[in-house]
Amino acid sequence: EMWQEISDFLQCALISYTCRRLWVYLARRHLTVHLSGQNVEEVIAPLRTDSAIHTLVLRCKGLDATGAQVLATLRDAPSLRSLDLCLAGNSVGPEGAKALAQLKAARCLKDLKLNLLGNNVGDAGALALAALKESPTLSTLSLDLWWNSVGDEGAQALAALKDMPSLRVLSLSLVSVWYFESNDVGMAGAQALATLKE
């Protein structure tokens, strides 16, 4: 059990490479998977029912809203505690963001990282993602939304994430340090986001 605790703290499979016994004991506990729009269903289907998986990192290419809907089925993964979805440069759009917001229903999920850089989710997608505030288990949430045409309405909705019941850490990125025009947040949105400091 101590090895499981250490492995969970590190959130990687590194310790399992120490010996064969640990390899078997910690098998599939922490996974990193690369997938594309062509194989998303094939890859996700067995993952959503695998009770051994605690940490899952998915690097995705070529996904659209349909692919995001498949990813959202990970809400049914029985032991998933940490999910890192790198969807940068895909085309999930507002409908895909709406699907990903269904992750709020994941039973064990404590840490969620969504990198949606350049997915054109817009205000509609930001409004949908704000529904993550209804998650009773999430304690850490990271949303990377720059280059998504998020405006004041979306920023105001995202400001409500501070009201999540279990939230301890919120990282919300709407602006790149290099490209300030990546979203359309004006004064009203900025004032709403400023309430996150409280």
Side-chain angles (χ1 to χ4, degrees), residues 163-197:
D163 298 327
M164 291 174 66
S166 303
L167 186 67
R168 297 229 184 257
V169 178
L170 174 63
S171 173
L172 180 59
S173 177
L174 291 171
V175 179
S176 160
V177 295
W178 298 284
Y179 302 102
F180 291 106
E181 68 277 352
S182 63
N183 282 304
D184 302 318
V185 178
M187 186 57 74
Q191 288 173 336
L193 293 171
T195 66
L196 290 172
K197 289 186 347 181

PDB file of all heavy atoms in Angstrom, residues 163-197:
ATOM      1  N   ASP A 163     -17.093  29.093  -6.702  1.00  0.00           N
ATOM      2  CA  ASP A 163     -18.103  28.572  -5.784  1.00  0.00           C
ATOM      3  C   ASP A 163     -18.162  27.051  -5.746  1.00  0.00           C
ATOM      4  O   ASP A 163     -19.072  26.494  -5.129  1.00  0.00           O
ATOM      5  CB  ASP A 163     -19.478  29.127  -6.162  1.00  0.00           C
ATOM      6  CG  ASP A 163     -19.525  30.645  -6.055  1.00  0.00           C
ATOM      7  OD1 ASP A 163     -18.841  31.199  -5.174  1.00  0.00           O
ATOM      8  OD2 ASP A 163     -20.232  31.275  -6.867  1.00  0.00           O
ATOM      9  N   MET A 164     -17.186  26.390  -6.379  1.00  0.00           N
ATOM     10  CA  MET A 164     -17.172  24.924  -6.345  1.00  0.00           C
ATOM     11  C   MET A 164     -17.028  24.454  -4.903  1.00  0.00           C
ATOM     12  O   MET A 164     -16.205  24.988  -4.159  1.00  0.00           O
ATOM     13  CB  MET A 164     -16.015  24.387  -7.188  1.00  0.00           C
ATOM     14  CG  MET A 164     -16.202  24.603  -8.671  1.00  0.00           C
ATOM     15  SD  MET A 164     -14.755  24.125  -9.635  1.00  0.00           S
ATOM     16  CE  MET A 164     -14.733  22.367  -9.370  1.00  0.00           C
ATOM     17  N   PRO A 165     -17.792  23.453  -4.497  1.00  0.00           N
ATOM     18  CA  PRO A 165     -17.788  23.041  -3.091  1.00  0.00           C
ATOM     19  C   PRO A 165     -16.448  22.503  -2.569  1.00  0.00           C
ATOM     20  O   PRO A 165     -16.121  22.740  -1.413  1.00  0.00           O
ATOM     21  CB  PRO A 165     -18.880  21.968  -3.018  1.00  0.00           C
ATOM     22  CG  PRO A 165     -19.175  21.579  -4.421  1.00  0.00           C
ATOM     23  CD  PRO A 165     -18.744  22.699  -5.297  1.00  0.00           C
ATOM     24  N   SER A 166     -15.695  21.803  -3.379  1.00  0.00           N
ATOM     25  CA  SER A 166     -14.445  21.190  -2.903  1.00  0.00           C
ATOM     26  C   SER A 166     -13.193  21.891  -3.427  1.00  0.00           C
ATOM     27  O   SER A 166     -12.086  21.429  -3.178  1.00  0.00           O
ATOM     28  CB  SER A 166     -14.378  19.721  -3.347  1.00  0.00           C
ATOM     29  OG  SER A 166     -15.488  19.022  -2.892  1.00  0.00           O
ATOM     30  N   LEU A 167     -13.363  22.984  -4.143  1.00  0.00           N
ATOM     31  CA  LEU A 167     -12.245  23.631  -4.821  1.00  0.00           C
ATOM     32  C   LEU A 167     -11.179  24.152  -3.856  1.00  0.00           C
ATOM     33  O   LEU A 167     -11.482  24.835  -2.891  1.00  0.00           O
ATOM     34  CB  LEU A 167     -12.748  24.789  -5.680  1.00  0.00           C
ATOM     35  CG  LEU A 167     -11.712  25.477  -6.553  1.00  0.00           C
ATOM     36  CD1 LEU A 167     -11.234  24.526  -7.650  1.00  0.00           C
ATOM     37  CD2 LEU A 167     -12.285  26.743  -7.161  1.00  0.00           C
ATOM     38  N   ARG A 168      -9.927  23.790  -4.156  1.00  0.00           N
ATOM     39  CA  ARG A 168      -8.774  24.306  -3.408  1.00  0.00           C
ATOM     40  C   ARG A 168      -7.860  25.116  -4.328  1.00  0.00           C
ATOM     41  O   ARG A 168      -7.280  26.093  -3.910  1.00  0.00           O
ATOM     42  CB  ARG A 168      -7.987  23.163  -2.799  1.00  0.00           C
ATOM     43  CG  ARG A 168      -8.767  22.361  -1.797  1.00  0.00           C
ATOM     44  CD  ARG A 168      -7.948  22.205  -0.533  1.00  0.00           C
ATOM     45  NE  ARG A 168      -8.620  21.359   0.406  1.00  0.00           N
ATOM     46  CZ  ARG A 168      -9.267  21.821   1.457  1.00  0.00           C
ATOM     47  NH1 ARG A 168      -9.338  23.101   1.667  1.00  0.00           N
ATOM     48  NH2 ARG A 168      -9.848  21.001   2.303  1.00  0.00           N
ATOM     49  N   VAL A 169      -7.741  24.665  -5.605  1.00  0.00           N
ATOM     50  CA  VAL A 169      -6.849  25.327  -6.563  1.00  0.00           C
ATOM     51  C   VAL A 169      -7.585  25.508  -7.884  1.00  0.00           C
ATOM     52  O   VAL A 169      -8.119  24.545  -8.435  1.00  0.00           O
ATOM     53  CB  VAL A 169      -5.561  24.493  -6.805  1.00  0.00           C
ATOM     54  CG1 VAL A 169      -4.684  25.166  -7.840  1.00  0.00           C
ATOM     55  CG2 VAL A 169      -4.803  24.268  -5.509  1.00  0.00           C
ATOM     56  N   LEU A 170      -7.593  26.748  -8.371  1.00  0.00           N
ATOM     57  CA  LEU A 170      -8.175  27.055  -9.672  1.00  0.00           C
ATOM     58  C   LEU A 170      -7.136  27.801 -10.494  1.00  0.00           C
ATOM     59  O   LEU A 170      -6.604  28.818 -10.062  1.00  0.00           O
ATOM     60  CB  LEU A 170      -9.430  27.924  -9.530  1.00  0.00           C
ATOM     61  CG  LEU A 170     -10.053  28.432 -10.839  1.00  0.00           C
ATOM     62  CD1 LEU A 170     -10.536  27.277 -11.705  1.00  0.00           C
ATOM     63  CD2 LEU A 170     -11.190  29.396 -10.540  1.00  0.00           C
ATOM     64  N   SER A 171      -6.846  27.264 -11.669  1.00  0.00           N
ATOM     65  CA  SER A 171      -5.954  27.926 -12.610  1.00  0.00           C
ATOM     66  C   SER A 171      -6.751  28.167 -13.881  1.00  0.00           C
ATOM     67  O   SER A 171      -7.173  27.226 -14.534  1.00  0.00           O
ATOM     68  CB  SER A 171      -4.732  27.049 -12.898  1.00  0.00           C
ATOM     69  OG  SER A 171      -3.953  27.621 -13.918  1.00  0.00           O
ATOM     70  N   LEU A 172      -6.947  29.432 -14.206  1.00  0.00           N
ATOM     71  CA  LEU A 172      -7.751  29.809 -15.363  1.00  0.00           C
ATOM     72  C   LEU A 172      -6.909  30.703 -16.252  1.00  0.00           C
ATOM     73  O   LEU A 172      -6.511  31.795 -15.852  1.00  0.00           O
ATOM     74  CB  LEU A 172      -9.010  30.541 -14.900  1.00  0.00           C
ATOM     75  CG  LEU A 172      -9.984  31.020 -15.958  1.00  0.00           C
ATOM     76  CD1 LEU A 172     -10.492  29.862 -16.802  1.00  0.00           C
ATOM     77  CD2 LEU A 172     -11.147  31.743 -15.295  1.00  0.00           C
ATOM     78  N   SER A 173      -6.625  30.235 -17.445  1.00  0.00           N
ATOM     79  CA  SER A 173      -5.793  30.987 -18.377  1.00  0.00           C
ATOM     80  C   SER A 173      -6.627  31.414 -19.579  1.00  0.00           C
ATOM     81  O   SER A 173      -7.068  30.580 -20.359  1.00  0.00           O
ATOM     82  CB  SER A 173      -4.608  30.123 -18.828  1.00  0.00           C
ATOM     83  OG  SER A 173      -3.835  30.806 -19.775  1.00  0.00           O
ATOM     84  N   LEU A 174      -6.818  32.715 -19.689  1.00  0.00           N
ATOM     85  CA  LEU A 174      -7.571  33.268 -20.813  1.00  0.00           C
ATOM     86  C   LEU A 174      -6.699  34.094 -21.743  1.00  0.00           C
ATOM     87  O   LEU A 174      -7.097  34.411 -22.847  1.00  0.00           O
ATOM     88  CB  LEU A 174      -8.720  34.140 -20.306  1.00  0.00           C
ATOM     89  CG  LEU A 174      -9.855  33.403 -19.621  1.00  0.00           C
ATOM     90  CD1 LEU A 174     -10.811  34.389 -18.974  1.00  0.00           C
ATOM     91  CD2 LEU A 174     -10.597  32.525 -20.606  1.00  0.00           C
ATOM     92  N   VAL A 175      -5.514  34.471 -21.286  1.00  0.00           N
ATOM     93  CA  VAL A 175      -4.645  35.342 -22.064  1.00  0.00           C
ATOM     94  C   VAL A 175      -3.235  34.792 -22.065  1.00  0.00           C
ATOM     95  O   VAL A 175      -2.701  34.414 -21.027  1.00  0.00           O
ATOM     96  CB  VAL A 175      -4.638  36.772 -21.472  1.00  0.00           C
ATOM     97  CG1 VAL A 175      -3.709  37.681 -22.268  1.00  0.00           C
ATOM     98  CG2 VAL A 175      -6.034  37.355 -21.453  1.00  0.00           C
ATOM     99  N   SER A 176      -2.650  34.743 -23.213  1.00  0.00           N
ATOM    100  CA  SER A 176      -1.247  34.362 -23.357  1.00  0.00           C
ATOM    101  C   SER A 176      -0.377  35.544 -22.974  1.00  0.00           C
ATOM    102  O   SER A 176      -0.737  36.700 -23.194  1.00  0.00           O
ATOM    103  CB  SER A 176      -0.974  33.975 -24.811  1.00  0.00           C
ATOM    104  OG  SER A 176       0.391  34.052 -25.090  1.00  0.00           O
ATOM    105  N   VAL A 177       0.772  35.277 -22.419  1.00  0.00           N
ATOM    106  CA  VAL A 177       1.694  36.368 -22.097  1.00  0.00           C
ATOM    107  C   VAL A 177       2.266  36.992 -23.364  1.00  0.00           C
ATOM    108  O   VAL A 177       2.811  38.080 -23.333  1.00  0.00           O
ATOM    109  CB  VAL A 177       2.845  35.901 -21.177  1.00  0.00           C
ATOM    110  CG1 VAL A 177       2.309  35.491 -19.827  1.00  0.00           C
ATOM    111  CG2 VAL A 177       3.641  34.786 -21.807  1.00  0.00           C
ATOM    112  N   TRP A 178       2.135  36.315 -24.494  1.00  0.00           N
ATOM    113  CA  TRP A 178       2.661  36.833 -25.756  1.00  0.00           C
ATOM    114  C   TRP A 178       1.590  37.484 -26.614  1.00  0.00           C
ATOM    115  O   TRP A 178       1.863  38.376 -27.375  1.00  0.00           O
ATOM    116  CB  TRP A 178       3.330  35.723 -26.568  1.00  0.00           C
ATOM    117  CG  TRP A 178       4.490  35.132 -25.853  1.00  0.00           C
ATOM    118  CD1 TRP A 178       5.738  35.672 -25.703  1.00  0.00           C
ATOM    119  CD2 TRP A 178       4.523  33.896 -25.169  1.00  0.00           C
ATOM    120  NE1 TRP A 178       6.540  34.852 -24.972  1.00  0.00           N
ATOM    121  CE2 TRP A 178       5.820  33.731 -24.623  1.00  0.00           C
ATOM    122  CE3 TRP A 178       3.587  32.891 -24.947  1.00  0.00           C
ATOM    123  CZ2 TRP A 178       6.199  32.629 -23.894  1.00  0.00           C
ATOM    124  CZ3 TRP A 178       3.969  31.789 -24.212  1.00  0.00           C
ATOM    125  CH2 TRP A 178       5.263  31.668 -23.695  1.00  0.00           C
ATOM    126  N   TYR A 179       0.362  36.992 -26.514  1.00  0.00           N
ATOM    127  CA  TYR A 179      -0.705  37.458 -27.400  1.00  0.00           C
ATOM    128  C   TYR A 179      -1.902  37.890 -26.567  1.00  0.00           C
ATOM    129  O   TYR A 179      -2.758  37.091 -26.225  1.00  0.00           O
ATOM    130  CB  TYR A 179      -1.145  36.355 -28.363  1.00  0.00           C
ATOM    131  CG  TYR A 179      -0.021  35.828 -29.207  1.00  0.00           C
ATOM    132  CD1 TYR A 179       0.589  34.622 -28.902  1.00  0.00           C
ATOM    133  CD2 TYR A 179       0.440  36.543 -30.302  1.00  0.00           C
ATOM    134  CE1 TYR A 179       1.628  34.138 -29.671  1.00  0.00           C
ATOM    135  CE2 TYR A 179       1.480  36.067 -31.079  1.00  0.00           C
ATOM    136  CZ  TYR A 179       2.069  34.863 -30.757  1.00  0.00           C
ATOM    137  OH  TYR A 179       3.099  34.385 -31.515  1.00  0.00           O
ATOM    138  N   PHE A 180      -1.980  39.156 -26.242  1.00  0.00           N
ATOM    139  CA  PHE A 180      -3.057  39.634 -25.394  1.00  0.00           C
ATOM    140  C   PHE A 180      -4.413  39.626 -26.089  1.00  0.00           C
ATOM    141  O   PHE A 180      -5.436  39.679 -25.447  1.00  0.00           O
ATOM    142  CB  PHE A 180      -2.733  41.038 -24.869  1.00  0.00           C
ATOM    143  CG  PHE A 180      -1.610  41.035 -23.891  1.00  0.00           C
ATOM    144  CD1 PHE A 180      -0.367  41.511 -24.252  1.00  0.00           C
ATOM    145  CD2 PHE A 180      -1.784  40.520 -22.629  1.00  0.00           C
ATOM    146  CE1 PHE A 180       0.674  41.491 -23.350  1.00  0.00           C
ATOM    147  CE2 PHE A 180      -0.746  40.485 -21.718  1.00  0.00           C
ATOM    148  CZ  PHE A 180       0.492  40.978 -22.079  1.00  0.00           C
ATOM    149  N   GLU A 181      -4.439  39.547 -27.405  1.00  0.00           N
ATOM    150  CA  GLU A 181      -5.704  39.573 -28.126  1.00  0.00           C
ATOM    151  C   GLU A 181      -6.303  38.177 -28.318  1.00  0.00           C
ATOM    152  O   GLU A 181      -7.176  37.987 -29.130  1.00  0.00           O
ATOM    153  CB  GLU A 181      -5.542  40.267 -29.483  1.00  0.00           C
ATOM    154  CG  GLU A 181      -4.697  39.501 -30.487  1.00  0.00           C
ATOM    155  CD  GLU A 181      -3.194  39.707 -30.322  1.00  0.00           C
ATOM    156  OE1 GLU A 181      -2.769  40.541 -29.536  1.00  0.00           O
ATOM    157  OE2 GLU A 181      -2.453  38.996 -31.000  1.00  0.00           O
ATOM    158  N   SER A 182      -5.875  37.208 -27.557  1.00  0.00           N
ATOM    159  CA  SER A 182      -6.303  35.829 -27.766  1.00  0.00           C
ATOM    160  C   SER A 182      -7.770  35.572 -27.413  1.00  0.00           C
ATOM    161  O   SER A 182      -8.343  34.608 -27.861  1.00  0.00           O
ATOM    162  CB  SER A 182      -5.405  34.871 -27.000  1.00  0.00           C
ATOM    163  OG  SER A 182      -5.500  35.089 -25.611  1.00  0.00           O
ATOM    164  N   ASN A 183      -8.373  36.422 -26.593  1.00  0.00           N
ATOM    165  CA  ASN A 183      -9.794  36.345 -26.286  1.00  0.00           C
ATOM    166  C   ASN A 183     -10.361  37.752 -26.342  1.00  0.00           C
ATOM    167  O   ASN A 183      -9.636  38.719 -26.580  1.00  0.00           O
ATOM    168  CB  ASN A 183     -10.027  35.693 -24.916  1.00  0.00           C
ATOM    169  CG  ASN A 183      -9.882  34.182 -24.975  1.00  0.00           C
ATOM    170  OD1 ASN A 183     -10.561  33.528 -25.753  1.00  0.00           O
ATOM    171  ND2 ASN A 183      -8.993  33.621 -24.179  1.00  0.00           N
ATOM    172  N   ASP A 184     -11.657  37.881 -26.118  1.00  0.00           N
ATOM    173  CA  ASP A 184     -12.327  39.171 -26.245  1.00  0.00           C
ATOM    174  C   ASP A 184     -12.879  39.666 -24.917  1.00  0.00           C
ATOM    175  O   ASP A 184     -13.940  40.280 -24.870  1.00  0.00           O
ATOM    176  CB  ASP A 184     -13.467  39.059 -27.272  1.00  0.00           C
ATOM    177  CG  ASP A 184     -12.967  38.618 -28.634  1.00  0.00           C
ATOM    178  OD1 ASP A 184     -11.911  39.116 -29.052  1.00  0.00           O
ATOM    179  OD2 ASP A 184     -13.634  37.776 -29.256  1.00  0.00           O
ATOM    180  N   VAL A 185     -12.188  39.388 -23.826  1.00  0.00           N
ATOM    181  CA  VAL A 185     -12.662  39.781 -22.504  1.00  0.00           C
ATOM    182  C   VAL A 185     -12.488  41.292 -22.339  1.00  0.00           C
ATOM    183  O   VAL A 185     -11.393  41.826 -22.506  1.00  0.00           O
ATOM    184  CB  VAL A 185     -11.903  39.026 -21.390  1.00  0.00           C
ATOM    185  CG1 VAL A 185     -12.369  39.487 -20.017  1.00  0.00           C
ATOM    186  CG2 VAL A 185     -12.099  37.527 -21.547  1.00  0.00           C
ATOM    187  N   GLY A 186     -13.570  41.966 -22.009  1.00  0.00           N
ATOM    188  CA  GLY A 186     -13.555  43.404 -21.779  1.00  0.00           C
ATOM    189  C   GLY A 186     -13.580  43.713 -20.295  1.00  0.00           C
ATOM    190  O   GLY A 186     -13.286  42.856 -19.449  1.00  0.00           O
ATOM    191  N   MET A 187     -13.963  44.935 -19.969  1.00  0.00           N
ATOM    192  CA  MET A 187     -13.955  45.390 -18.577  1.00  0.00           C
ATOM    193  C   MET A 187     -14.923  44.585 -17.705  1.00  0.00           C
ATOM    194  O   MET A 187     -14.585  44.204 -16.588  1.00  0.00           O
ATOM    195  CB  MET A 187     -14.308  46.882 -18.518  1.00  0.00           C
ATOM    196  CG  MET A 187     -14.173  47.458 -17.123  1.00  0.00           C
ATOM    197  SD  MET A 187     -12.524  47.246 -16.403  1.00  0.00           S
ATOM    198  CE  MET A 187     -11.619  48.462 -17.319  1.00  0.00           C
ATOM    199  N   ALA A 188     -16.115  44.307 -18.194  1.00  0.00           N
ATOM    200  CA  ALA A 188     -17.100  43.566 -17.394  1.00  0.00           C
ATOM    201  C   ALA A 188     -16.574  42.161 -17.064  1.00  0.00           C
ATOM    202  O   ALA A 188     -16.704  41.685 -15.932  1.00  0.00           O
ATOM    203  CB  ALA A 188     -18.431  43.476 -18.126  1.00  0.00           C
ATOM    204  N   GLY A 189     -15.979  41.507 -18.045  1.00  0.00           N
ATOM    205  CA  GLY A 189     -15.418  40.182 -17.803  1.00  0.00           C
ATOM    206  C   GLY A 189     -14.232  40.224 -16.864  1.00  0.00           C
ATOM    207  O   GLY A 189     -14.077  39.366 -15.990  1.00  0.00           O
ATOM    208  N   ALA A 190     -13.396  41.245 -17.033  1.00  0.00           N
ATOM    209  CA  ALA A 190     -12.223  41.387 -16.170  1.00  0.00           C
ATOM    210  C   ALA A 190     -12.640  41.631 -14.722  1.00  0.00           C
ATOM    211  O   ALA A 190     -12.040  41.080 -13.793  1.00  0.00           O
ATOM    212  CB  ALA A 190     -11.336  42.519 -16.670  1.00  0.00           C
ATOM    213  N   GLN A 191     -13.676  42.435 -14.521  1.00  0.00           N
ATOM    214  CA  GLN A 191     -14.155  42.682 -13.159  1.00  0.00           C
ATOM    215  C   GLN A 191     -14.697  41.401 -12.529  1.00  0.00           C
ATOM    216  O   GLN A 191     -14.475  41.143 -11.343  1.00  0.00           O
ATOM    217  CB  GLN A 191     -15.218  43.780 -13.168  1.00  0.00           C
ATOM    218  CG  GLN A 191     -14.632  45.148 -13.440  1.00  0.00           C
ATOM    219  CD  GLN A 191     -15.697  46.217 -13.611  1.00  0.00           C
ATOM    220  OE1 GLN A 191     -16.856  45.931 -13.957  1.00  0.00           O
ATOM    221  NE2 GLN A 191     -15.309  47.467 -13.381  1.00  0.00           N
ATOM    222  N   ALA A 192     -15.393  40.609 -13.310  1.00  0.00           N
ATOM    223  CA  ALA A 192     -15.902  39.323 -12.794  1.00  0.00           C
ATOM    224  C   ALA A 192     -14.756  38.398 -12.430  1.00  0.00           C
ATOM    225  O   ALA A 192     -14.777  37.752 -11.378  1.00  0.00           O
ATOM    226  CB  ALA A 192     -16.816  38.673 -13.833  1.00  0.00           C
ATOM    227  N   LEU A 193     -13.756  38.341 -13.289  1.00  0.00           N
ATOM    228  CA  LEU A 193     -12.598  37.487 -13.020  1.00  0.00           C
ATOM    229  C   LEU A 193     -11.809  37.974 -11.802  1.00  0.00           C
ATOM    230  O   LEU A 193     -11.202  37.172 -11.091  1.00  0.00           O
ATOM    231  CB  LEU A 193     -11.702  37.394 -14.244  1.00  0.00           C
ATOM    232  CG  LEU A 193     -12.300  36.659 -15.444  1.00  0.00           C
ATOM    233  CD1 LEU A 193     -11.410  36.814 -16.667  1.00  0.00           C
ATOM    234  CD2 LEU A 193     -12.530  35.194 -15.119  1.00  0.00           C
ATOM    235  N   ALA A 194     -11.821  39.271 -11.565  1.00  0.00           N
ATOM    236  CA  ALA A 194     -11.103  39.814 -10.403  1.00  0.00           C
ATOM    237  C   ALA A 194     -11.685  39.300  -9.088  1.00  0.00           C
ATOM    238  O   ALA A 194     -10.978  39.221  -8.083  1.00  0.00           O
ATOM    239  CB  ALA A 194     -11.134  41.339 -10.435  1.00  0.00           C
ATOM    240  N   THR A 195     -12.942  38.866  -9.107  1.00  0.00           N
ATOM    241  CA  THR A 195     -13.560  38.330  -7.891  1.00  0.00           C
ATOM    242  C   THR A 195     -12.978  36.970  -7.522  1.00  0.00           C
ATOM    243  O   THR A 195     -13.189  36.493  -6.413  1.00  0.00           O
ATOM    244  CB  THR A 195     -15.094  38.213  -8.024  1.00  0.00           C
ATOM    245  OG1 THR A 195     -15.400  37.232  -9.021  1.00  0.00           O
ATOM    246  CG2 THR A 195     -15.714  39.548  -8.376  1.00  0.00           C
ATOM    247  N   LEU A 196     -12.239  36.348  -8.439  1.00  0.00           N
ATOM    248  CA  LEU A 196     -11.631  35.054  -8.141  1.00  0.00           C
ATOM    249  C   LEU A 196     -10.569  35.175  -7.071  1.00  0.00           C
ATOM    250  O   LEU A 196     -10.218  34.193  -6.423  1.00  0.00           O
ATOM    251  CB  LEU A 196     -11.020  34.441  -9.414  1.00  0.00           C
ATOM    252  CG  LEU A 196     -12.012  33.974 -10.471  1.00  0.00           C
ATOM    253  CD1 LEU A 196     -11.289  33.572 -11.740  1.00  0.00           C
ATOM    254  CD2 LEU A 196     -12.850  32.823  -9.939  1.00  0.00           C
ATOM    255  N   LYS A 197     -10.023  36.371  -6.870  1.00  0.00           N
ATOM    256  CA  LYS A 197      -8.995  36.583  -5.839  1.00  0.00           C
ATOM    257  C   LYS A 197      -9.569  36.399  -4.447  1.00  0.00           C
ATOM    258  O   LYS A 197      -8.862  36.082  -3.517  1.00  0.00           O
ATOM    259  CB  LYS A 197      -8.411  37.997  -5.941  1.00  0.00           C
ATOM    260  CG  LYS A 197      -7.539  38.212  -7.125  1.00  0.00           C
ATOM    261  CD  LYS A 197      -6.854  39.565  -7.131  1.00  0.00           C
ATOM    262  CE  LYS A 197      -7.352  40.578  -6.155  1.00  0.00           C
ATOM    263  NZ  LYS A 197      -6.699  41.877  -6.203  1.00  0.00           N
TER     264      LYS A 197
END
